Every structure is written in C-alpha cells, then in structure tokens.
Amino acid sequence: MNKRFSSLVKKRDLLLAIDLEDVRDQIPDGHHYRDRVEVNVEQILNLLKSRNTRATFFTVGTLARRLPGLLQKILDQGHEIAAHGNNHTQLTKLDPLTFEADLIQNVDSLLAAGVPAVSGFRAPTFSLTERTGWAHDVLASRGFKYSSSVLPAKNPLFGWPEFGEESRRLSNGLVEIPITLHPRPLPRVPLAGGVYLRVLPFSLTRFSFGRLKPSRPVTTYIHPYDVDIAQEHFMHPDLNGSRWMNGLMYIGRQKALARLGRLIDQSKVWRYIDWVEQHYTA
C-alpha cells in the first residue's frame, strides 16, 4: 500500500452501504435466471466480518418478503437495514401519494422481517432530483431521519447538480447525504460506488480519496450483483436499453470485493445511521 495514500485517508469517514435488491425482479421473466442474491450477500458479509465492520443495507420490500431469514442474518451481524423502495421503482414513475404508499409497503415489509426500526432511505437509481424533490417532505412526514438519494452532478440516468455535494439538514428536519463524487477536474461521477468502483482505475479512486476535504465523508454503494462473476448475462433494467451501459454492468466484478476491502482498511467506517446521529444531534 502506498504510504502517502495510507496517511491521507486512514481517518477519513466512510459511510458504507449495500443496495440490497434482486435485479431479476425488475426484468421480464427474470426468475428464469439463477438466484444468486444470498450467495453474493454472503460474500459481502464475509468481507465485512473479516474487517470487523458494520454497514447499512438499503433493502427493497420484495426481497424482505421473500428472504426474511437473510435480513435476520444481516441484523444479527450488527448491520443497519434501511429502505430502498418496495420494488426499486424510480421516483420519476411515482407522485407524492404513490411514493408514500410504496414507502409504507417497503417499511412494513422490513419491520415484518424483524428490522427493529427504519431510519434511512435511498432512492432507487438516485432518482431524487429537483423534479422529485417532494420526496424529502414525504420522508420527513413518515419519520425518517436521513436520506442518501442525491447524485449531485449531471448523469445519463438521474442527477441533481444544483443540490450541492455537502450533507445538510433540510428545513423539514431530514438529513440528505449526497453521493460522493470524484473532485474536479476529474469526471464528476461517484467515487466509491457500484460500476464506477469496478470500472474506473483504482489508482484514480485512491487519488480522489486523498484529494477530498478531510471533513467530508465518503458515501458508498455496492450491489450484490457487483461481486457476482457467475450470473448469466442479461439486459439490466433502467438503462434505457443501452447495450453499452449494460456491458459496463459486467466489467470488473472480480475486483469489486478486493477494492472495497482496501477502502475499508484505510477508513473509519460508519453505518449511515450512526454517522447521522453523531453529526446531526437534535
């Protein structure tokens, strides 16, 4: 490990998240493909256990209903479980009323699976934008403490550049924690998330870790499929049918766990709820 990199990032806060969904639920006849969710989650849990690290699992309702035992295993290892929509429906396909109904179903499914409380939310595909900013008020009205749903840059899918990159408490009391981007002049894409963690050179990720302000936490996301090297190939949802973007979904999966482990080793790792309660006391 580069000593200069180690000294720069060893105390950086890393908000560690797994976006827990079964992508097969979102494609036609998806369950004709092999079920790989539990195998992939087991790999991630083993990594976290080996580092004595706890994370936040943003979890969809459909998976909570189908695999309550998996959620209990996650809870037993000290991780947080938060909301990620009932079936990973983007906010642009909802309105305030249908979003609230979706959210209630998501939360009820998590509680029924044994989750003691649900404090956080992540919008599917970071679809909380200026257009869907009403979601912040819905979340606050339902008693959520935080959201990590904004990608604060232009993006082929969803982005809200005007929101800004700093975490902050909104006027309704909700804390929004945007996804961390590579600093300028590098491409304004997520620093430690999913496809970007897998595809971009890891030297670039390490460089950006060292360039960020020490006071700013690094937010992450990784999916079970990001570590899956055995799943059959299929067109992923929410990519507008782009073969190029779909190809990126399969690149670098064999590197994802090792890269995530290296980030964990050089960071002070938090569950999202713990970081929010530490930094945004009432």
Side-chain angles (χ1 to χ4, degrees):
M1 175 63 67
N2 181 286
K3 291 183 179 179
R4 180 175 179 273
F5 172 64
S6 176
S7 64
L8 283 170
V9 302
K10 63 183 180 181
K11 293 184 179 180
R12 181 174 300 285
D13 288 344
L14 182 72
L15 276 56
L16 185 56
I18 293 84
D19 289 0
L20 184 52
E21 64 213 48
D22 186 346
V23 71
R24 300 176 307 150
D25 290 338
Q26 304 160 46
I27 59 176
D29 298 320
H31 285 261
H32 290 178
Y33 299 106
R34 285 177 292 172
D35 186 349
R36 299 277 303 160
V37 170
E38 290 185 90
V39 171
N40 297 326
V41 171
E42 187 70 27
Q43 291 186 75
I44 295 170
L45 288 174
N46 287 341
L47 170 70
L48 301 180
K49 187 175 182 179
S50 72
R51 301 311 203 272
N52 193 27
T53 294
R54 297 188 300 166
T56 294
F57 285 71
F58 291 100
T59 304
V60 297
T62 49
L63 193 143
R65 293 190 291 275
R66 189 164 70 246
L67 298 173
L70 178 62
L71 269 64
Q72 191 59 58
K73 185 172 186 178
I74 292 168
L75 289 169
D76 288 345
Q77 295 188 25
H79 305 293
E80 177 193 10
I81 292 180
H84 195 37
N86 185 53
N87 188 29
H88 206 263
T89 302
Q90 287 72 34
L91 301 186
T92 49
K93 300 174 183 177
L94 303 169
D95 58 34
L97 288 177
T98 54
F99 171 58
E100 184 171 26
D102 183 274
L103 190 64
I104 290 171
Q105 192 172 10
N106 184 188
V107 171
D108 285 350
S109 297
L110 298 179
L111 297 177
V115 179
V118 181
S119 299
F121 173 77
R122 171 161 287 164
T125 328
F126 300 104
S127 53
L128 208 167
T129 66
E130 186 174 17
R131 175 183 167 191
T132 57
W134 42 258
H136 279 142
D137 287 332
V138 175
L139 290 165
S141 73
R142 299 302 306 180
F144 280 78
K145 294 183 178 180
Y146 73 89
S147 162
S148 182
S149 300
V150 172
L151 198 165
K154 293 182 179 180
N155 186 273
L157 298 175
F158 298 99
W160 189 356
E162 296 80 12
F163 185 88
E165 299 178 46
E166 297 285 349
S167 302
R168 67 176 186 268
R169 188 188 294 276
L170 307 178
S171 59
N172 58 23
L174 186 78
V175 175
E176 176 62 47
I177 312 169
I179 285 297
T180 307
L181 307 175
H182 284 272
R184 292 183 176 88
L186 297 174
R188 307 295 285 158
V189 298
L191 169 59
V195 63
Y196 304 99
L197 179 64
R198 292 188 282 104
V199 172
L200 294 178
F202 193 60
S203 58
L204 191 64
T205 301
R206 294 191 303 172
F207 174 78
S208 292
F209 249 64
R211 287 284 306 278
L212 293 172
K213 293 192 303 184
S215 60
R216 181 182 295 176
V218 173
T219 55
T220 63
Y221 64 96
I222 194 169
H223 309 85
Y225 61 74
D226 281 313
V227 306
D228 192 350
I229 60 175
Q231 182 72 65
E232 309 97 317
H233 286 212
F234 48 75
M235 177 61 72
H236 279 241
D238 309 321
L239 300 178
N240 301 321
S242 169
R243 292 184 179 274
W244 176 79
M245 293 180 70
N246 198 61
L248 295 177
M249 302 303 293
Y250 294 94
I251 295 175
R253 290 185 175 194
Q254 73 279 8
K255 304 175 184 178
L257 278 176
R259 289 183 172 188
L260 184 61
R262 292 173 73 180
L263 295 183
I264 291 171
D265 289 342
Q266 300 301 317
S267 306
K268 180 178 180 181
V269 180
W270 299 76
R271 302 187 309 174
Y272 276 63
I273 184 59
D274 298 329
W275 188 87
V276 168
E277 290 182 345
Q278 176 72 25
H279 292 85
Y280 290 92
T281 55

